Amino acid sequence: EHIEYTVHGLRKNGTTIVMDIRSVRGMHNGRWAVFGTVLDMTARKQMEDALEAAALLDPLTGFYNRRGFLTVTSRQLLVARRKKQSLILIAADVDDLKTINDTFGHAAGDEALVAAAKVLRHSYREADVVARLGGDEFVVFPLDASVHSVPLLLERLEANLQVWREQHPRPYVLSISTGSAVLDPSNESATIEELLAQADSDLYRHKRARVGTKPSRVAPFWGGVGE
């Protein structure tokens, strides 16, 4: 009989060790005995964890990437259905990122994305899931938020964005468009991808409504480069 299992232990210095224990029964000097090995798998486990994290995270912002977001929120979808709770999703993107890149360079574009990420993270609770899906696209998954709180959540983001613009003058205007969607947990066939599509549709509907009424997103240099 061959047995394999992994256990966690503590070294004398208090650090954690991951041990892979393998044992097998056999005869020894005419008696049944158990032969085993203990392998220190700590370094390998740390490497595997690092690789897994890298596959789920966006390197520029440190947020979940699309794969990480779908992994986390798919689990939350199952919990919401079990508790019969609605789910809210907020789509957000950085306006005119291509213009910022073309006018001021890709370093400025990356700076705008990082700034948008900081504003988004500051605008929501630590438990809320914030992700960068790619390019200028972000998404927020507020946990246990009421459907009626959506306007407040969007207003908070815009207020924090305005504060950032006042405190961090840039040669462009950092602007974020948003859209939202609500998932009814009783809809057993609905998916997170469908919720994303609904939020994106709402976002671009708002963008189209603003065409011709908003100022150019690229403005003269304000004089100052505060962090």
Side-chain angles (χ1 to χ4, degrees):
E1 181 182 4
H2 182 75
I3 300 175
E4 295 184 18
Y5 54 95
T6 301
V7 299
H8 292 74
L10 288 177
R11 296 188 178 96
K12 290 183 178 180
N13 63 6
T15 59
T16 301
I17 182 174
V18 181
M19 297 174 289
D20 184 19
I21 300 178
R22 305 180 183 186
S23 63
V24 61
R25 293 183 64 195
M27 297 295 295
H28 178 67
N29 293 333
R31 295 184 177 182
W32 283 104
V34 177
F35 304 90
T37 59
V38 178
L39 301 177
D40 183 350
M41 303 295 290
T42 308
R44 177 176 174 178
K45 184 66 168 62
Q46 291 173 342
M47 182 181 68
E48 290 175 348
D49 290 345
L51 290 173
E52 181 179 1
L56 300 178
L57 299 179
D58 169 49
L60 181 64
T61 63
F63 286 172
Y64 284 118
N65 57 21
R66 177 178 288 271
R67 178 182 175 186
F69 174 76
L70 293 175
T71 299
V72 172
T73 54
S74 294
R75 297 169 186 164
Q76 291 297 327
L77 175 60
L78 296 176
V79 173
R81 281 178 174 154
R82 187 167 64 248
K83 294 183 177 180
K84 300 189 182 303
Q85 294 177 335
S86 296
L87 295 177
I88 299 169
L89 191 146
I90 297 172
D93 72 24
V94 178
D95 292 328
D96 298 326
L97 181 63
K98 184 178 185 302
T99 302
I100 295 175
N101 282 327
D102 292 345
T103 306
F104 304 105
H106 287 276
D110 285 349
E111 178 191 61
L113 289 170
V114 171
K118 290 180 179 179
V119 173
L120 284 163
R121 183 68 278 172
H122 183 68
S123 299
Y124 301 99
R125 298 170 302 173
E126 191 65 31
D128 296 335
V129 180
V130 186
R132 180 187 175 210
L133 302 185
D136 59 2
E137 298 180 65
F138 292 85
V139 63
V140 182
F141 191 83
L143 300 180
D144 299 323
S146 165
V147 173
H148 304 292
S149 68
V150 172
L152 177 62
L153 295 174
L154 297 180
E155 289 170 9
R156 183 192 304 161
L157 172 60
E158 185 57 37
N160 287 338
L161 184 59
Q162 180 60 32
V163 170
W164 188 93
R165 285 193 291 252
E166 293 171 356
Q167 295 180 348
H168 304 82
R170 291 294 186 267
Y172 51 83
V173 177
L174 181 64
S175 175
I176 299 176
S177 292
T178 57
S180 62
V182 177
L183 179 66
D184 182 354
S186 65
N187 185 349
E188 295 293 334
S189 64
T191 65
I192 294 297
E193 288 89 342
E194 290 172 352
L195 192 62
L196 276 172
Q198 293 171 22
D200 279 340
S201 177
D202 188 54
L203 184 152
Y204 286 106
R205 179 173 62 83
H206 289 152
K207 273 183 177 285
R208 288 193 298 270
R210 287 183 350 195
V211 171
T213 64
K214 67 176 182 178
S216 170
R217 291 296 93 191
V218 178
F221 184 59
W222 297 354
V225 289
E227 293 303 324

